[in-house]
Amino acid sequence: MVESEVHISSTGYALLALQAHLPSLHPSDCDMNGQQNNCEQVHGFNSALLYIALYTTALGEGCVRASLPSLGGDQFDDKDPVELQLKTSFFNWFTFGISLGGFIGLTLVVWIENNKGWDIGFGVSALAILLGVLAVASGVSFYRNQIPKGSPLTRIVQVFVAAFKNRKLVLPENVNQLQHNCEDMDIIEVLPHTKGFKFLDKASINHGDTGTWSCTVTQVEETKIVLRMLPILISTVLGYLPTPVLLTFTVQQGSTMNTKLGKIHISPATLFVIPVIFQMVILVIYDQFIVPFARRITGYVGGITNLQRVGIGFAASALATCVAALVERKRKNIVEEHGLEDFETGVPMSVFWLALQFFLLGIVDVTSFVGLLEFFNGEASRGMKSIGTAIFWCVLGLASLLGTFLVDMVNKATRHGASGRGWLEGANLNKSHLDWFYWLVTILELVALFNYMYWARRYVYRHDPRIPQELTEIDDKDSSKTKDVVAI
């Protein structure tokens, strides 16, 4: 499945390379920075081809992001203490691989596009993806494959429909009277009945009807797992909101400052490399040194629980926006002292003043990013791993979307009169009030942090996050012991 999804993404890049290479498929070259902008807008067949290529790339990328972490997580046996620790390490190194790919893209691919052409750059990207397909395919015979058993979304819909149809029925006092299994259903993981969401339990009432909308206890429990994660999902979207906003504006800050390191000039686009480098370095230190040390103290497989790890990241995010506000205030003071309000660049302040907030952004990715990825993947049932991973990527996407809405709302709220400017309007950052916006985001992040802590403390893990003491399958031996879980 992963191989076919990667092929989709490589096809999108190949189409982009083809369009960039053939003059008949794109408008003629123009000077975008000239006083007389003679650039033509792409239209007709060329426009359709462009959007097909972009959406094909996005489709393949989205499918791979949902499937690849799940495939990797399936290679480890949660009942084996050694493999359980390796699974935690896998997600750290998986994130390291994402960062390494981003580093290569921001350096090598950007250099190729700027010096050799966009067609060569897209072609190299398509080739790299195909090499990735070969790498994944080379281990097919060694993988532990979880064969999909129907659509998880369909099973969730079935539960809600069946619960509504059975709403007038009375739940039996003995849970053993519920429909625990169905002969024509092939279930990957059998889940025991749990308390809570009693209205959903009616979906598994056994009244002799084994039709399409007849559900088992396992189906109901899968739905309960998703519902229990919803408060975490919503609170993490709010907690992750400052990260894309801060990254975007930090790069814009850097583009106005002195980007020279000795004789080396750092382009604004290359500034994205700085947090990526920090992230890779911190990930190695965290996985190789911090986790083993914390594991001996706390007894948790990952040193700390996933939700604790996410909380640390949100605290670092609040600190990062606070530091960013202070640095931006200093930058604005220098702008005012030198009368540079009408200039978009040339502020005599080194870009390395941004190093601390870049470093804190790296901590956010090492903690919140990996913690959320492992949490949603680990808490989802074996038949819904891809859904759990997809929920994680939805958190990042929704946070970026909310960040865009926040910027628009702030500009509208701070705009005075027909000719007034909002805090963040215009291309000239020297005339903006980015420091005020950073303080606003800091306050919002602190509120989101406390809201997240409230829900995280109430959440109960499906499995004990501590290191197992014995190799026993608790669920198969005594289903009642599954209630012996640890809340954060």
Side-chain angles (χ1 to χ4, degrees):
M1 181 179 178
V2 174
E3 292 91 337
S4 60
E5 293 164 351
V6 175
H7 275 302
I8 295 174
S9 185
S10 63
T11 301
Y13 279 108
L15 290 175
L16 290 173
L18 179 66
Q19 187 167 31
H21 180 73
L22 297 178
S24 61
L25 296 180
H26 63 260
S28 58
D29 296 338
C30 63
D31 184 11
M32 296 181 60
N33 298 321
Q35 293 183 355
Q36 294 181 351
N37 193 327
N38 60 343
C39 297
E40 300 178 5
Q41 183 177 358
V42 63
H43 58 275
F45 172 79
N46 292 349
S47 177
L49 180 62
L50 174 63
Y51 283 109
I52 290 174
L54 291 175
Y55 286 120
T56 301
T57 304
L59 176 62
E61 180 84 6
C63 293
V64 170
R65 288 188 178 190
S67 301
L68 202 55
S70 302
L71 175 64
D74 287 342
Q75 308 312 304
F76 303 93
D77 184 3
D78 291 340
K79 303 298 181 181
D80 188 325
V82 176
E83 291 195 21
L84 193 59
Q85 295 181 17
L86 292 175
K87 182 178 180 179
T88 298
S89 184
F90 161 76
F91 285 105
N92 290 329
W93 287 105
F94 176 80
T95 307
F96 180 88
I98 294 176
S99 301
L100 181 60
F103 175 80
I104 295 174
L106 289 169
T107 52
L108 177 61
V109 177
V110 169
W111 182 87
I112 292 175
E113 290 176 345
N114 291 336
N115 294 274
K116 302 298 181 180
W118 284 87
D119 52 345
I120 305 298
F122 286 132
V124 169
S125 299
L127 180 61
I129 293 174
L130 291 177
L131 292 176
V133 173
L134 295 177
V136 174
S138 64
V140 168
S141 59
F142 304 102
Y143 294 150
R144 296 172 177 172
N145 291 316
Q146 300 289 343
I147 306 301
K149 305 295 181 182
S151 170
L153 294 178
T154 301
R155 296 198 296 270
I156 292 175
V157 173
Q158 286 177 338
V159 169
F160 281 106
V161 173
F164 179 78
K165 289 178 63 177
N166 298 341
R167 65 189 183 280
K168 295 183 179 180
L169 299 180
V170 179
L171 278 172
E173 295 182 2
N174 188 353
V175 296
N176 292 326
Q177 297 178 4
L178 297 175
Q179 187 166 296
H180 284 267
N181 201 354
C182 187
E183 294 180 357
D184 60 348
M185 291 186 64
D186 193 0
I187 302 174
I188 296 178
E189 180 183 9
V190 177
L191 301 175
H193 177 268
T194 60
K195 296 180 179 179
F197 302 105
K198 288 186 176 181
F199 67 96
L200 292 179
D201 289 335
K202 291 187 176 183
S204 59
I205 293 178
N206 189 356
H207 49 74
D209 182 10
T210 58
T212 304
W213 301 109
S214 179
C215 302
T216 63
V217 171
T218 294
Q219 286 179 268
V220 173
E221 292 304 317
E222 285 182 331
T223 306
K224 288 183 180 181
I225 290 172
V226 175
L227 291 179
R228 290 189 179 108
M229 290 193 296
L230 279 181
I232 301 296
L233 167 64
I234 297 172
S235 59
T236 50
V237 168
L238 299 176
Y240 221 98
L241 186 149
T243 303
V245 172
L246 184 59
L247 182 60
T248 300
F249 284 113
T250 297
V251 173
Q252 290 189 20
Q253 283 178 278
S255 65
T256 69
M257 302 165 71
N258 180 9
T259 57
K260 290 185 178 180
L261 178 60
K263 296 182 178 180
I264 301 175
H265 174 73
I266 303 174
S267 64
T270 311
L271 292 175
F272 282 105
V273 174
I274 299 176
V276 172
I277 294 175
F278 275 132
Q279 182 181 352
M280 290 191 293
V281 173
I282 298 172
L283 269 171
V284 174
I285 295 174
Y286 182 85
D287 184 79
Q288 296 297 307
F289 301 100
I290 297 178
V291 171
F293 176 76
R295 186 181 290 151
R296 289 193 295 267
I297 297 176
T298 65
Y300 290 121
V301 175
I304 55 178
T305 66
N306 293 326
L307 294 181
Q308 288 173 344
R309 186 174 181 177
V310 174
I312 293 174
F314 290 163
S317 180
L319 182 59
T321 53
C322 179
V323 170
L326 295 174
V327 172
E328 174 61 12
R329 183 65 263 170
K330 179 177 178 60
R331 192 191 71 85
K332 288 295 293 293
N333 289 338
I334 295 177
V335 168
E336 294 170 358
E337 290 175 3
H338 292 80
L340 301 174
E341 290 86 349
D342 295 329
F343 298 89
E344 297 183 10
T345 58
V347 179
M349 180 179 178
S350 175
V351 72
F352 290 97
W353 274 90
L354 304 175
L356 181 56
Q357 60 201 71
F358 274 134
F359 174 76
L360 291 171
L361 281 173
I363 293 180
V364 172
D365 283 333
V366 169
T367 51
S368 295
F369 184 95
V370 186
L372 283 174
L373 177 59
E374 188 174 356
F375 169 77
F376 286 116
N377 182 272
E379 289 300 296
S381 65
R382 291 175 63 185
M384 303 182 70
K385 292 296 184 183
S386 294
I387 293 294
T389 309
I391 290 175
F392 160 73
W393 292 111
C394 285
V395 168
L396 304 189
L398 290 173
S400 298
L401 185 62
L402 287 180
T404 302
F405 288 154
L406 178 62
V407 171
D408 291 338
M409 290 174 59
V410 168
N411 283 333
K412 290 179 180 179
T414 57
R415 189 183 301 127
H416 302 288
S419 59
R421 287 169 51 93
W423 284 0
L424 305 172
E425 285 186 324
N428 189 349
L429 204 61
N430 293 336
K431 293 183 177 180
S432 70
H433 296 285
L434 182 59
D435 52 337
W436 296 355
F437 178 74
Y438 277 152
W439 286 120
L440 173 63
V441 174
T442 301
I443 295 173
L444 293 176
E445 177 64 3
L446 289 175
V447 174
L449 174 61
F450 287 114
N451 175 66
Y452 167 80
M453 291 172 60
Y454 172 80
W455 294 109
R457 290 179 63 86
R458 292 171 62 90
Y459 186 83
V460 178
Y461 289 93
R462 285 209 310 131
H463 304 290
D464 192 334
R466 289 187 171 87
I467 301 174
Q469 299 298 321
E470 299 178 359
L471 295 176
T472 56
E473 295 185 0
I474 299 177
D475 290 338
D476 294 339
K477 188 174 181 180
D478 187 359
S479 61
S480 64
K481 290 183 181 181
T482 57
K483 299 178 183 179
D484 185 20
V485 291
V486 177
I488 186 171

